[in-house]
Amino acid sequence: MKRFLKALVLFLLPVALLCGLCFFALIKSGELQPLETAVNISQNPDVLYGLAYRNDAESYKLAMAQKKSAQLMVIGTSRSMQLGQELFLQNSFYNAGGAAPKIEYFEYFLQSLPKAALPKKLIIVLDQNFFNPVWDSHDTKPQISANKINTVPFLQRFIQDIARGKINFAKIFSASPSQLGLSAIINGSGYAFDGSYVYGTMQTNPNYNTDKDFAETLAKINQGKQRFEYGSEVCPVCISTIKALTGFCSENGIQLVGIIPPYAPSVWQKMNESGNYLYIPKIYSELSPLFEEKGFELYDYTDFSLSNDEEYIDGYHGSDKTYCRIMLDMLPKTKILAKEIKPDLQSLLGGGSPHELS
Amino acid sequence: MNFTSFYFALFFIGVFAAYWAFGKRLAPYVLFLANVFFCLTFKASVIFIAADAALVWAAALLAHKAKHKRLVYGGAIALLCVTPLAFFKYSAALCGFFADSFNIGISLVPALEKIAVPVGISYFCFKCISYLADCAKGSLAPCPGFVKLFNSLAFFPEQLSGPITRPAQRLAQLESMPLFSCELAVKGCGRILYGMLLKQCIAEGLAPAAGFLLTPELALNYSMLIALFAYSVQIFADFAGYSQMAIGLSNLLGFETPENFISPYFSKSIKEFWRRWHISLSSFLKDYIYIPLGGSRCGRLRKYFNLIITFLISGIWHGASLGFAVWGLLHGAYQCLSDLTLNLRTKIKAALHINDKNAFYKVFQCLIVFFIVTLLWLPFTVPSWQQLSAVFQKLFAPSAFTLQHLKECFTIIGLKPANLMQLALFTAPVFYIEFASRKTGFGQWFSAQKSIVKIIIMYFCLLCVMFFGALSGGNSIYFKF
């Protein structure tokens, strides 16, 4: 038995050393940091919070929004994350994009904030697929809780990422304390201090783009899946959910601005021509009376011709420039955000990069 | 708790330490607790397994003293083994069939569907049948100790997907609890790592491509062919991998367990294939169905009938669907056809001057068997006739045979060049090991290697699993049977 155990220990020693090194690197990367620590570190203005192995956007954004008590806030999915502080005059700003993966989460998120932390002005980004009854059956209640840190599976994924050439130990061990998580350290992508999302290498290096020529998005459209399910009518449950939300905002003195976000022009053209998304043009007409009733504003940028395909990260995620153009377009129309949007946004649109603001 | 989970690793380390630390006297009790605990992780299973094992134990002891031994044993087999197996596996499907066809017993169906099928029920019941049948034949004396019998029937490494080690064999090993053997333990480690390579890297790596057999509408014509071959390799890697791990775990506890797979895709005939594939089940069916039916002793026609019945039962055992029955029937029919045409084929070979020992001819035979077996997996895996017809329609859809189209056929089912390269990295050494061990099986072949070769093989397997293995290796395909 002793001989076997000795041989086993010797055999496993190099593997154990490798696992130990990986575990240490994983700890160093901040990937295993509990949410409270991450939120405390995120008070640093230089922070970049980008986890690779778990998505705790909802709980992170909620905790950050509670701490920040911003006057102007953005809530939505990943399609709202490019609305950054640099577009607004208001310094008390936080983008809680990613906190509302479904329509029920908007009100739930606001109700989860203490009264004092509720914003004065709120921008909600309403993804079109929210209103497709085929996409969501609304049978689950919203819930925001921190994801479990599963050390063993994370370690396994880390080791496999080494084999795929995704891990750079030098970068991990030389990362600044304000870079939290492997995505932040390796790709430079994650949530910035204002809650907006920095795409990092995916934005600057087109080879990292997973949706080259929108092939993946177009495949989803062809197959009618993953947010591109076909539908012809607007879901009535969603309309009543928005009605409740506008009611909540009105009661709590929150001025609400709704934005229906853009698709890349060629993607929208394909969707429109397919005739499979008849519910989308109906969203605005169904929602606008609800917004008008309370004195709120709603803007539909589904078909946004002021931006071109090049300015999109993928088929349905506009870049910083796309959202800057949206704000520019809104500036003369909006009353609620008239004093919030920077008047000189045009100057940010210069520069060579199709995605980044100058 | 499957073998590739972190929790199983912790569980097994604990069992291994306690089993060898407590010594020979207490080891059976450690094993008993481990078996019960493992059963407990599948909740409802433990109640059935423990109760049935106790009844089988008591029935064997009572039957041994009874006047009409064989009758009592037969009754016990029917009541304690065949009935629960049939009830759990077929009642819901049968009630569903009657409800659909004759509008009878509709209310029963949802209730039956809610009953959790005890995990590994087939393997457990087969062992019970083997135990009672051997006792009835007089080749095995009823086991007086319940703990020992339970350890044999519900041995945890074999609970989920076999192999079906005969209680006669296991009870003999349990009689004098084995001493620790370093050589056996090293062989066990080698088996576990090789099994993990098969399961985590090859089977899980091919699973997405093989899955397209169930969604032919999303694939192109040659993709179906690729998916079919992927499934053929996947089911072997999955089941053989799981068996290797099970045998390896039992080796670490000091038990020798016979091989369950000996390079089946290197068979030169379907008959040989069944001597190499799921050996413990094939030999069980042979000993407890084919031979009692008369085997090959009662004339040619009867032999064919017995063969067809045995394979039909093998098919039906896999599940209550027509596809499984057709799969079994086709395998049986092919064996009969092969036997019928033996003389004709011998004459043709003689006329063409084909030497049986010619290497090219052997390769040709292996390829033919592989193609037939692969084709026969279709009714086995595709759940309905509509889907099967959709697969065939897609398979024979006309299209130009261009390199670009072929590339698309691979890509559309997720086999991109990087994935193919990765699969080749695992498959090439596995192909070599399977070829090299085709005469003896992996265990004996591995034991005969020099220490350095063993270390290289084990590191190769371990590193492949660590760096490329599926992160969430699910249960074995045979888990559901």
Side-chain angles (χ1 to χ4, degrees):
Chain A
M1 176 62 105
K2 268 186 189 169
R3 212 180 103 215
F4 172 72
L5 290 179
K6 231 187 232 176
L8 191 68
V9 168
L10 279 174
F11 177 79
L12 290 177
L13 194 64
V15 180
L17 284 174
L18 174 71
C19 289
L21 174 72
C22 292
F23 185 59
F24 182 60
L26 205 53
I27 293 173
K28 179 77 181 60
S29 72
E31 200 72 31
L32 303 179
Q33 291 280 16
L35 185 70
E36 304 79 55
T37 317
V39 169
N40 285 335
I41 296 172
S42 296
Q43 302 312 308
N44 177 348
D46 297 327
V47 76
L48 190 63
Y49 180 67
L51 300 181
Y53 299 149
R54 71 190 144 109
N55 177 13
D56 63 355
E58 294 148 33
S59 43
Y60 172 76
K61 289 291 174 87
L62 180 61
M64 286 295 286
Q66 283 169 346
K67 274 222 161 180
K68 289 225 166 188
S69 305
Q71 300 284 301
L72 174 61
M73 196 185 284
V74 178
I75 311 180
T77 64
S78 55
R79 292 174 76 186
S80 68
M81 289 177 189
Q82 299 326 105
L83 289 169
Q85 166 85 72
E86 69 269 29
L87 304 177
F88 301 96
L89 293 164
Q90 175 63 266
N91 280 326
S92 178
F93 169 88
Y94 191 66
N95 185 325
K102 289 181 176 183
I103 203 154
E104 292 82 4
Y105 278 75
F106 288 101
E107 193 180 336
Y108 178 76
F109 185 88
L110 292 171
Q111 281 178 345
S112 305
L113 291 174
K115 274 241 167 189
L118 284 173
K120 293 276 174 282
K121 291 178 182 178
L122 176 68
I123 301 173
I124 55 169
V125 177
L126 299 162
D127 290 12
Q128 290 83 345
N129 55 286
F130 283 167
F131 300 91
N132 181 1
V134 183
W135 179 71
D136 184 18
S137 49
H138 305 282
D139 50 4
T140 49
K141 281 188 176 171
Q143 194 189 359
I144 297 179
S145 55
N147 281 334
K148 223 175 129 189
I149 300 170
N150 296 312
T151 311
V152 175
F154 288 1
L155 187 61
Q156 270 182 301
R157 286 181 67 175
F158 184 85
I159 290 170
Q160 300 214 338
D161 281 342
I162 296 173
R164 292 191 186 103
K166 287 183 178 175
I167 301 293
N168 183 333
F169 279 94
K171 272 189 177 178
I172 292 173
F173 289 111
S174 62
S176 83
S178 59
Q179 286 175 298
L180 267 179
L182 284 170
S183 280
I185 294 169
I186 309 288
N187 302 323
S189 55
Y191 299 119
F193 177 66
D194 63 356
S196 66
Y197 194 77
V198 179
Y199 277 95
T201 45
M202 199 175 155
Q203 194 165 236
T204 51
N205 184 350
N207 291 332
Y208 281 85
N209 193 339
T210 51
D211 195 19
K212 226 173 184 178
D213 303 325
F214 307 140
E216 213 173 292
T217 305
L218 294 176
K220 287 176 191 172
I221 293 168
N222 285 335
Q223 292 168 16
K225 62 177 190 181
Q226 293 177 9
R227 294 169 185 267
F228 289 90
E229 290 79 2
Y230 306 142
S232 52
E233 294 301 324
V234 173
C235 161
V237 180
C238 298
I239 302 299
S240 49
T241 308
I242 292 291
K243 192 169 183 181
L245 175 70
T246 53
F248 177 87
C249 288
S250 177
E251 278 168 27
N252 289 280
I254 301 168
Q255 288 183 288
L256 187 66
V257 176
I259 295 175
I260 302 172
Y263 291 104
S266 64
V267 168
W268 171 241
Q269 191 187 345
K270 168 102 178 160
M271 291 170 76
N272 202 18
E273 282 170 4
S274 74
N276 291 323
Y277 300 95
L278 295 176
Y279 76 94
I280 292 179
K282 294 175 188 168
I283 299 171
Y284 181 78
S285 53
E286 296 250 9
L287 291 185
S288 56
L290 304 179
F291 278 74
E292 279 167 20
E293 187 190 330
K294 306 279 180 189
F296 300 151
E297 296 170 4
L298 177 70
Y299 299 92
D300 185 2
Y301 286 103
T302 303
D303 183 5
F304 187 45
S305 53
L306 293 176
S307 182
N308 58 40
D309 279 358
E310 271 197 354
E311 289 184 356
Y312 282 78
I313 304 289
D314 60 27
Y316 54 106
H317 285 95
S319 65
D320 295 354
K321 272 194 175 169
T322 315
Y323 283 85
C324 182
R325 287 190 199 283
I326 289 178
M327 288 300 119
L328 259 174
D329 185 69
M330 274 172 62
L331 190 55
K333 301 173 190 168
T334 178
K335 281 182 187 158
I336 297 174
L337 297 177
K339 288 182 183 166
E340 310 294 344
I341 299 173
K342 276 184 184 170
D344 56 345
L345 285 180
Q346 190 66 45
S347 63
L348 297 177
L349 289 169
S353 163
H355 297 153
E356 287 173 316
L357 299 173
S358 57
Chain B
M1 193 158 63
N2 66 54
F3 293 165
T4 53
S5 71
F6 177 67
Y7 295 108
F8 182 81
L10 289 182
F11 163 75
F12 189 77
I13 291 168
V15 172
F16 179 82
Y19 180 82
W20 291 113
F22 283 120
K24 249 180 153 183
R25 219 162 52 88
L26 291 175
Y29 300 100
V30 173
L31 194 57
F32 178 78
L33 288 176
N35 292 332
V36 171
F37 181 82
F38 190 74
C39 263
L40 271 171
T41 60
F42 298 100
K43 288 166 191 162
S45 299
V46 72
I47 300 164
F48 169 79
I49 302 270
D52 205 44
L55 290 171
V56 166
W57 170 69
L61 289 173
L62 287 173
H64 200 63
K65 290 173 189 160
K67 228 179 182 184
H68 304 287
K69 269 186 198 175
R70 287 198 164 230
L71 197 72
V72 182
Y73 273 119
I77 288 174
L79 200 70
L80 302 176
C81 311
V82 182
T83 308
L85 186 62
F87 173 77
F88 283 115
K89 287 194 81 135
Y90 310 114
S91 53
L94 274 177
C95 281
F97 171 74
F98 280 114
D100 290 345
S101 312
F102 309 108
N103 217 17
I104 314 170
I106 293 172
S107 56
L108 255 180
V109 181
L112 285 170
E113 277 170 354
K114 271 184 199 164
I115 297 174
V117 179
V119 170
I121 183 171
S122 301
Y123 305 97
F124 173 77
C125 287
F126 283 171
K127 284 184 186 180
C128 292
I129 292 172
S130 170
Y131 171 67
L132 290 171
D134 287 354
C135 286
K137 274 193 283 184
S139 59
L140 179 68
C143 177
F146 174 68
V147 170
K148 202 204 285 179
L149 183 68
F150 186 81
N151 283 344
S152 155
L153 298 176
F155 186 45
F156 74 88
E158 298 172 354
Q159 262 181 38
L160 300 184
S161 300
I164 309 156
T165 305
R166 304 281 175 89
Q169 195 176 356
R170 186 67 81 221
L171 284 169
Q173 291 174 338
L174 287 162
E175 192 63 48
S176 55
M177 289 299 284
L179 289 171
F180 183 80
S181 151
C182 186
E183 199 187 322
L184 189 62
V186 171
K187 184 163 80 174
C189 290
R191 276 187 190 280
I192 292 170
L193 291 173
Y194 182 59
M196 285 177 84
L197 174 75
L198 287 172
K199 171 90 180 91
Q200 299 294 93
C201 296
I202 298 183
E204 297 292 337
L206 287 168
F212 275 83
L213 284 176
L214 305 178
T215 51
E217 66 279 4
L218 299 179
L220 298 169
N221 52 354
Y222 302 127
S223 310
M224 283 290 95
L225 205 60
I226 300 162
L228 183 57
F229 282 105
Y231 181 76
S232 193
V233 178
Q234 185 211 355
I235 192 168
F236 161 71
D238 184 280
F239 196 17
Y242 221 86
S243 291
Q244 288 291 4
M245 285 189 264
I247 300 172
L249 292 167
S250 65
N251 286 167
L252 278 170
L253 295 175
F255 297 105
E256 280 280 11
T257 303
E259 296 283 351
N260 206 24
F261 286 83
I262 304 180
S263 315
Y265 287 147
F266 285 103
S267 307
K268 294 189 284 295
S269 67
I270 295 284
K271 194 174 175 183
E272 188 187 345
F273 174 81
W274 283 108
R275 282 203 300 265
R276 292 170 174 274
W277 179 277
H278 202 175
I279 299 166
S280 61
L281 177 70
S282 305
S283 68
F284 175 90
L285 293 172
K286 185 180 145 203
D287 291 349
Y288 298 106
I289 295 175
Y290 180 68
I291 291 176
L293 280 173
S296 55
R297 291 161 296 164
C298 315
R300 204 173 232 203
L301 207 64
R302 181 67 188 272
K303 176 187 165 184
Y304 296 152
F305 174 78
N306 294 343
L307 260 176
I308 298 269
I309 289 291
T310 308
F311 274 97
L312 181 64
I313 290 172
S314 162
I316 292 170
W317 165 70
H318 286 91
S321 98
L322 201 58
F324 290 127
V326 168
W327 171 80
L329 274 175
L330 287 172
H331 267 283
Y334 189 84
Q335 288 217 44
C336 297
L337 194 72
S338 156
D339 195 66
L340 273 168
T341 57
L342 186 64
N343 286 339
L344 179 73
R345 284 183 289 129
T346 313
K347 278 178 194 167
I348 294 172
K349 271 190 281 178
L352 295 172
H353 304 290
I354 294 170
N355 184 352
D356 269 352
K357 285 177 183 162
N358 183 302
F360 287 109
Y361 182 63
K362 282 183 188 170
V363 171
F364 173 74
Q365 282 180 303
C366 290
L367 284 175
I368 292 290
V369 171
F370 178 62
F371 284 135
I372 291 168
V373 171
T374 298
L375 199 64
L376 293 184
W377 286 126
L378 263 180
F380 184 91
T381 184
V382 180
S384 72
W385 293 110
Q386 287 95 325
Q387 267 180 297
L388 196 60
S389 119
V391 169
F392 275 109
Q393 274 174 15
K394 191 62 95 173
L395 260 175
F396 296 110
S399 80
F401 188 84
T402 61
L403 211 60
Q404 182 58 30
H405 179 67
L406 196 63
K407 194 182 158 196
E408 276 172 33
C409 289
F410 273 98
T411 315
I412 204 165
I413 58 170
L415 294 174
K416 293 174 184 162
N419 302 85
L420 287 170
M421 289 280 284
Q422 205 169 299
L423 280 167
L425 170 77
F426 317 133
T427 316
V430 165
F431 183 87
Y432 171 74
I433 290 173
E434 287 298 309
F435 180 76
S437 63
R438 72 195 182 284
K439 286 182 181 154
T440 56
F442 178 81
Q444 212 176 315
W445 174 83
F446 182 79
S447 294
Q449 302 305 306
K450 286 180 185 165
S451 297
I452 185 73
V453 178
K454 285 182 194 169
I455 291 170
I456 290 171
I457 292 171
M458 291 204 287
Y459 266 127
F460 174 78
C461 295
L462 182 61
L463 294 178
C464 278
V465 171
M466 275 177 69
F467 285 116
F468 305 106
L471 291 168
S472 52
N475 287 317
S476 154
I477 294 177
Y478 263 68
F479 181 79
K480 60 178 181 243
F481 302 134

